[in-house]
Amino acid sequence: QVQLVESGGGPAQAGDSLRLACTASGRTSSYGMAWFRQAPGKEREFVAAITWNGGSTLYADSVKGRFTISRDKPKNTLYLQMNTLKPEDTAVYYCAARAKSWGPGAEYEYWGQGTQVTVSS
């Protein structure tokens, strides 16, 4: 069983940076992981994904060049570095994990509880 706990969200001004973290309990060394977000009144959307070894990453067009996904395997932690934040980045951010698969279309098995990011202009 894998449990995911996000942290690092909060209020920010446009142009600021935040770093989200997702700490996993359980063995996730062979898991693809990802970040998703859900804004009020909108469906959950893919943000970024990373392979089990961190060798490959994918990003939504809306965050490409501003966000960076990474993972620290010894610490069993996934990160999302968010730079040049925009008000439209306001959402609840969720991390997700899936054994032996990854990417925006993977059916993620495990989800965190989410962390709120609010960006004001």
Side-chain angles (χ1 to χ4, degrees), residues 35-58:
W35 289 97
F36 288 77
R37 67 186 182 185
Q38 187 166 19
K42 295 187 177 181
E43 294 187 354
R44 185 170 60 195
E45 65 173 359
F46 168 78
V47 175
I50 191 167
T51 52
W52 69 275
N53 63 354
S56 295
T57 56
L58 283 172

Side-chain angles (χ1 to χ4, degrees), residues 50-71:
I50 191 167
T51 52
W52 69 275
N53 63 354
S56 295
T57 56
L58 283 172
Y59 296 92
D61 288 344
S62 59
V63 306
K64 201 173 294 182
R66 299 188 298 122
F67 291 10
T68 302
I69 188 172
S70 62
R71 65 192 299 173

